[in-house]
Amino acid sequence: MRTLNTMVLGAAVAAAALTAGAPAQAAAQTSAQTSTTTAAAAACSQVRVYRPEMRKGHVAATGWAIGCSRNQRVKIMLKRKRWWGWQEISTATWYGAGKKTLYKGCKRGTTFTYQLQGQVSYYAGSKYVVHNGYSPKMRAKCP
């Protein structure tokens, strides 16, 4: 009788453990999926923005998003320093991975400071997340 009780009790404990383990496994799978989503978002949490360069008659600046999924919006903005702050002079927006170059004409003989800003935005759970990146500044005179 003692052996039979132990076996029945053992079976009940095992069944309870299996039943309790099912939500734990589902939670583990959900957390694994969340960490995978977070890892994918972290891979694309920053856009590579390169220092603008002066070419004949215009400024060129390149931004590059690697490994971004299609639900992540990438935006690059070429800015020029003014006395009142930064003026946005050219922008490009796309979803997912890719590389874009912005071009902006300049007036011969003018000197400005330029900078490229990159931005990645996506939803993480119920929260909208935005990551910004800035290129080094470039002070140049238009040829």
Side-chain angles (χ1 to χ4, degrees), residues 7 11 16 25 37 41 46 48 53 59 62-63 65 68-69 71 77 90 99 108-109 112 115 124 130:
M7 287 175 39
Q25 283 179 335
T37 305
Q46 294 183 11
R48 291 183 184 170
E53 47 188 60
V59 178
T62 303
C68 293
S69 65
N71 65 347
M77 299 160 279
S90 184
K99 179 172 131 176
R108 186 176 178 167
F112 286 103
Q115 184 177 35
V130 177

Side-chain angles (χ1 to χ4, degrees), residues 19-54:
T19 308
Q25 283 179 335
Q29 287 175 349
T30 305
S31 68
Q33 289 170 349
T34 304
S35 66
T36 304
T37 305
T38 307
C44 184
S45 65
Q46 294 183 11
V47 179
R48 291 183 184 170
V49 286
Y50 300 101
R51 183 179 179 166
E53 47 188 60
M54 193 58 76

Side-chain angles (χ1 to χ4, degrees), residues 41-114:
C44 184
S45 65
Q46 294 183 11
V47 179
R48 291 183 184 170
V49 286
Y50 300 101
R51 183 179 179 166
E53 47 188 60
M54 193 58 76
R55 298 183 184 164
K56 188 171 182 168
H58 63 273
V59 178
T62 303
W64 193 8
I66 302 171
C68 293
S69 65
R70 291 182 183 220
N71 65 347
Q72 293 173 331
R73 187 181 73 136
V74 180
K75 182 178 182 181
I76 56 174
M77 299 160 279
L78 180 60
K79 296 182 174 190
R80 176 170 56 191
K81 182 76 171 162
R82 306 293 281 197
W83 65 268
W84 44 265
W86 288 95
Q87 176 189 15
E88 196 173 288
I89 56 175
S90 184
T91 63
T93 304
W94 70 96
Y95 287 88
K99 179 172 131 176
K100 302 270 184 195
T101 303
L102 298 175
Y103 299 98
K104 181 63 179 169
C106 61
K107 193 184 219 181
R108 186 176 178 167
T110 57
T111 304
F112 286 103
T113 301
Y114 296 95

